[in-house]
Amino acid sequence: MGDSKLAGQFFDAAIGLLQRVRDEEAGAVEAAGTLIADTVADGGRLFAFGAGHSSLAAQDLVYRAGGLALMNLLAVPGAVGVDVVPATLGSALERVDGLASAVLDCSPARAGDVLVIISLSGRNALPVEMAMHARALGLKVIGVTSVAYASETESRHASGTYLKDHCDVVLDSKIAIGDAELTLDSVPAPFAPASTVVTSALLQSVMATAAGTLADRGIEPPLLRSGNVDGGHEWNGRVFEEYGDRIFYRR
């Protein structure tokens, strides 16, 4: 089998997943986008969190051309991506009780804000505790996860629950257990993960919905423009000045 055939199979798998989430999660996307628009309109702030590779989709929303300027990254030291050494420490930190609550309590997040929590499996202590504590503090929680994991894996949180159990809105990425779309007789393990592609697309569809919802209400959405487009820096400077009290990645 040639490499090009495998490449095509991966694209087909990713496109199929994108079509599924487009069709099956439309109501959840609308609800999440509306919740974000409501929060922006009411003076609230926006935060996104993901551990390990789930952090990629969270970072994709922050300080992004074409994105809402109010989305802030809620970073857990050692768990943002795979930059920590050794990389396995990040996975270990996802199972530590108390870490999420400590991070939230030290963050600027407060009642009335929205926290987007991204966790493919939704089973580890960190995202479950993050969602539980956020709601206890009065935040609204949007969870992005593969709901299938909850029926086929055991929770690693003391409560026995999953991220999906502690959200105001759940976005199901439909990713299969193990996050690998391809198999081959000559390759001993499944390969080609699609969770980043699908999760990022889901969240960008939510942000697009939020921007359109604000516009429908006569509110200009606080969008950033590319710094590589003439006038982009000046545009962003005005947005930062107007919304500076709700943007924390510039401090």
Side-chain angles (χ1 to χ4, degrees):
M1 180 179 293
D3 292 342
S4 60
K5 189 170 183 180
L6 285 172
Q9 287 181 358
F10 177 75
F11 280 118
D12 288 344
I15 290 167
L17 284 163
L18 290 170
Q19 290 174 331
R20 279 193 68 194
V21 298
R22 178 195 65 192
D23 297 339
E24 298 174 20
E25 296 301 296
V29 167
E30 182 71 23
T34 301
L35 179 54
I36 288 175
D38 290 344
T39 304
V40 172
D42 293 343
R45 293 86 59 80
L46 310 175
F47 298 88
F49 163 77
H53 288 95
S54 290
S55 178
L56 296 174
Q59 294 179 61
D60 192 50
L61 300 176
V62 178
Y63 186 48
R64 186 67 192 262
L68 290 178
L70 305 191
M71 184 60 76
N72 301 276
L73 186 67
L74 185 67
V76 174
V80 182
V82 293
D83 57 334
V84 64
V85 178
T88 49
L89 174 60
S91 298
L93 290 173
E94 290 187 61
R95 305 181 190 186
V96 173
D97 292 327
L99 181 57
S101 294
V103 168
L104 263 177
D105 288 341
C106 293
S107 80
R110 65 190 185 198
D113 295 344
V114 162
L115 174 58
V116 178
I117 302 178
I118 306 154
S119 173
L120 179 60
S121 72
R123 68 187 295 217
N124 287 310
L126 190 54
V128 175
E129 181 188 330
M130 185 77 75
M132 293 175 71
H133 195 56
R135 294 182 92 186
L137 294 175
L139 281 79
K140 298 291 187 180
V141 175
I142 298 171
V144 190
T145 187
S146 172
V147 171
Y149 273 83
S151 61
E152 300 185 39
T153 66
E154 290 187 8
S155 171
R156 289 176 175 149
H157 188 263
S159 67
T161 61
Y162 299 78
L163 170 60
K164 71 174 185 63
D165 299 319
H166 307 285
C167 300
D168 296 276
V169 181
V170 176
L171 298 168
D172 184 2
S173 64
K174 317 291 182 181
I175 299 295
I177 307 296
D179 191 18
E181 293 300 318
L182 302 182
T183 57
L184 201 59
D185 289 343
S186 57
V187 178
F191 56 100
S195 60
T196 304
V197 173
V198 176
T199 301
S200 290
L202 254 177
L203 284 169
Q204 291 299 349
S205 73
V206 168
M207 303 308 281
T209 300
T213 301
L214 286 167
D216 288 344
R217 299 177 185 177
I219 301 171
E220 181 183 333
L223 296 168
L224 296 174
R225 302 190 71 165
S226 172
N228 297 315
V229 173
D230 289 345
H233 286 299
E234 290 77 14
W235 172 282
N236 292 343
R238 289 192 293 271
V239 174
F240 290 147
E241 185 173 352
E242 182 174 353
Y243 292 95
D245 61 333
R246 298 155 75 180
I247 296 171
F248 303 100
Y249 51 82
R250 298 185 70 242
R251 297 181 182 179

